[in-house]
Amino acid sequence: MSHPYNSVYDPNVVEVKSKFESEFRRLNVNRTKMTHYEDFQSLVKECHRLPIQMTVTISYTDPRNGDLLPINNDDNLQRAFTTAMPLLKLFIYREQGRCKICSFKTLMPVEQPT
């Protein structure tokens, strides 16, 4: 009997599990085609059905030490893809005004550029 998902392993595809508030989504991303942070952010917003103009912060859990690290540019995006073993766990936070609202309902001040 064959597996119902006759899929072939592709080392360039990263499985992503994304959490926004109490909602989880899963998607697959080809790390060789998704090279720009802005495109990735748009994909995540679309996946969660968020308005494109909504300001969000995207973070991921580093599987080596459990640290929560930001994805806010192309380099951080590629680093997150590299550390995915085999899953990339994302946390999406909505930013409102000068505070970032986290999924655990606390407010964290957002650093202002100088």
Side-chain angles (χ1 to χ4, degrees), residues 19-70:
K19 182 180 188 290
F20 174 73
E21 295 179 346
S22 62
E23 173 186 275
F24 289 90
R25 299 280 190 216
R26 287 184 179 262
L27 62 146
N28 293 322
V29 177
N30 187 315
R31 73 177 89 213
T32 60
K33 295 180 181 175
M34 183 65 65
T35 58
H36 298 291
Y37 168 72
E38 290 79 15
D39 297 337
F40 182 71
Q41 183 183 48
S42 296
L43 177 68
V44 169
K45 285 181 180 180
E46 180 181 321
C47 180
H48 284 281
R49 296 184 181 97
L50 302 176
I52 198 70
Q53 69 275 11
M54 179 185 284
T55 304
V56 297
T57 299
I58 301 176
S59 299
Y60 72 101
T61 303
D62 186 333
R64 295 171 294 187
N65 54 24
D67 288 347
L68 190 62
L69 302 171

Side-chain angles (χ1 to χ4, degrees), residues 84-102:
M85 295 184 237
L87 182 67
L88 177 61
K89 295 179 183 179
L90 297 182
F91 296 90
I92 315 304
Y93 304 112
R94 174 193 327 245
E95 291 186 14
Q96 293 183 345
R98 300 195 60 195
C99 290
K100 182 171 33 177
I101 298 178
C102 299

